[in-house]
Every structure is written in C-alpha cells, then in structure tokens.
Amino acid sequence: GLVRCGECGRSMTPSSGRVYVAKNGEARRYVTYVCPASIAGACVNKTRVKEPWLREQALAAIVRRLFPRKSA
C-alpha cells in the first residue's frame, strides 16, 4: 500500500512475466508494479515500475527518514 497510482490513487500491485533462463543458466522473472485498475481498463495509467528500482527508492526514503542529515 505504500506505492500509489498517480492517476487514481489505488495501491500499485506486483505483476510478473514468464520465467526465462538467463545466459548464465539462472531462471529469472521480471517483476513490475502496475495500477490494478489499468489492467481492468478503469485507469489511464499504463506505467509499469520495475521492482528492483522501486525497492531501491523505497529503501532510500526509509533511510532518509530514519537518519536525517543534520544541518550545519
């Protein structure tokens, strides 16, 4: 519930593609976050946010809140 659609305000949900095999033989799957209403046709936001990027941004925001920089 932390990530919201910029158009309708609904919580973005994870969506994944098919499993594929990388060059190194490892099985992988792309995970993105998407507005569930856009899948149903009720929202115009078709943006998909890659999960690794989103995780990095969320963690950075948490760290900034927990450890704010002191002004000099």
Side-chain angles (χ1 to χ4, degrees), residues 5-71:
C5 173
E7 292 292 326
C8 69
R10 289 180 174 87
S11 293
M12 302 283 275
T13 59
S15 175
S16 65
R18 295 182 186 174
V19 174
Y20 69 95
V21 178
K23 288 182 180 180
N24 65 3
E26 183 180 320
R28 294 185 182 173
R29 178 186 309 250
Y30 283 113
V31 177
T32 59
Y33 278 75
V34 63
C35 176
S38 72
I39 296 171
C43 180
V44 298
N45 185 2
K46 304 295 183 199
T47 303
R48 290 183 172 267
V49 180
K50 293 179 181 179
E51 192 271 339
W53 179 86
L54 183 59
R55 184 181 336 123
E56 183 180 303
Q57 298 302 309
L59 183 57
I62 291 168
V63 168
R64 282 192 305 271
R65 281 237 165 137
L66 291 174
F67 307 104
R69 290 187 177 189
K70 294 180 181 179
S71 299

